[in-house]
Amino acid sequence: MSDSYGLHNRFLAWFMAREGGKYSALVEGRKRHLLGALTGTLVEIGSGTGPNLRFFPRELRVVGIEPNPFMHRHFLEEARAENRSVELIQGVAESLPFQDESVDAVLSTLVLCSVAEMDRVLGEILRVLKPGGRFLFVEHVAAREGSWLRRVQRCVRPAWRRIGDGCEPDRTTEEDLLKAGFQKVSFDRFALPLPIVSPHIAGVAEK
Ligand SMILES: C[S@@+](CC[C@H](N)C(=O)[O-])C[C@H]1O[C@@H](n2cnc3c(N)ncnc32)[C@H](O)[C@@H]1O
């Protein structure tokens, strides 16, 4: 890891821990609805600083997969504050350290916008989910094709990627989800009062 990569990752962890609450407030209702009744084992890819921990049922087994080691301290602090036990693994969603058909649910919030290999990630999620298992997601996505916002997203993409650790504002994630091989994909499309990354999807894909 180069110094600048380390510094940038440290900055992102600090920024998410400090500013993430404002974003969380905007999606709180949706997360409560999506995450409040999970059972068994949940793998959270890109678990970051742990903003989702407070929505999980107490008895749920939670395993975070997070490549940025500077996020880990914040995630574990949040778990302590929530008085819950968690497991945390340094790794990437392109290669999940779980057996085939071994987990009940996988969660991604604001992660599919920046994974390096979307097809591999969705393939891994399908591999580790039990039959009938659910992939839950809250993600920002591309604005409608032809809209002014879509053009803006395309223009800022190179700089956005650099600043946001690979995050692309104009990913058509819902299309990737629909063709990944899930039995059923359902989601809401909605807009948040944010610049550039206003368009969002939240929903469930069932294996
Ligand atoms: C914008 S943050 C979101 C963090 C958290 N999920 C949230 O909702 O606040 C994106 C997270 O995805 C992680 N990430 C980036 N690429 C990843 C990958 N290939 N696999 C797993 N996590 C990844 C980053 O390290 C970062 O923690």
Side-chain angles (χ1 to χ4, degrees):
M1 187 192 290
S2 75
D3 281 355
S4 62
Y5 181 77
L7 259 182
H8 191 57
N9 270 349
R10 197 185 285 266
F11 165 76
L12 288 172
W14 171 83
F15 180 79
M16 292 299 292
R18 193 186 145 95
E19 299 296 324
K22 291 172 192 156
Y23 174 83
S24 282
L26 299 174
V27 285
E28 178 160 351
R30 285 176 189 277
K31 284 189 176 177
R32 215 172 277 293
H33 174 71
L34 212 54
L35 310 177
L38 294 167
T39 55
T41 298
L42 169 89
V43 171
E44 181 174 2
I45 60 168
S47 49
T49 57
N52 298 320
L53 290 172
R54 67 197 172 100
F55 299 107
F56 299 144
R58 211 114 293 280
E59 58 286 359
L60 187 70
R61 177 183 171 220
V62 176
V63 188
I65 301 288
E66 173 53 57
N68 179 351
F70 299 108
M71 299 278 184
H72 290 194
R73 176 172 64 85
H74 300 289
F75 182 85
L76 295 173
E77 274 171 11
E78 183 64 19
R80 256 194 304 280
E82 288 294 317
N83 194 23
R84 69 170 308 136
S85 62
V86 288
E87 295 156 59
L88 180 58
I89 298 170
Q90 185 167 8
V92 290
E94 283 84 352
S95 174
L96 293 174
F98 303 98
Q99 307 229 318
D100 296 0
E101 306 196 337
S102 62
V103 309
D104 299 280
V106 177
L107 171 66
S108 167
T109 64
L110 303 182
V111 179
L112 295 182
C113 52
S114 49
V115 294
E117 295 174 79
M118 179 75 91
D119 290 350
R120 245 180 96 184
V121 169
L122 296 178
E124 276 292 89
I125 291 169
L126 275 163
R127 180 184 66 76
V128 302
L129 277 175
K130 294 176 183 172
R134 302 191 309 152
F135 174 47
L136 309 132
F137 50 89
V138 179
E139 296 285 340
H140 69 76
V141 294
R144 301 240 181 247
E145 188 65 63
S147 65
W148 67 268
L149 181 55
R150 182 67 172 269
R151 286 193 284 277
V152 174
Q153 288 179 330
R154 200 172 300 132
C155 281
V156 302
R157 188 205 298 147
W160 198 270
R161 270 185 64 91
R162 266 197 299 282
I163 296 163
D165 192 26
C167 172
E168 294 182 339
D170 59 343
R171 279 205 185 172
T172 50
T173 301
E174 62 274 51
E175 289 173 19
D176 294 312
L177 282 165
L178 287 168
K179 61 179 195 222
F182 290 96
Q183 292 291 335
K184 185 173 164 203
V185 181
S186 36
F187 57 85
D188 281 346
R189 199 181 162 93
F190 58 101
L192 293 181
L194 297 169
I196 313 293
V197 291
S198 160
H200 272 63
I201 55 170
V204 181
E206 280 176 38
K207 176 169 170 179

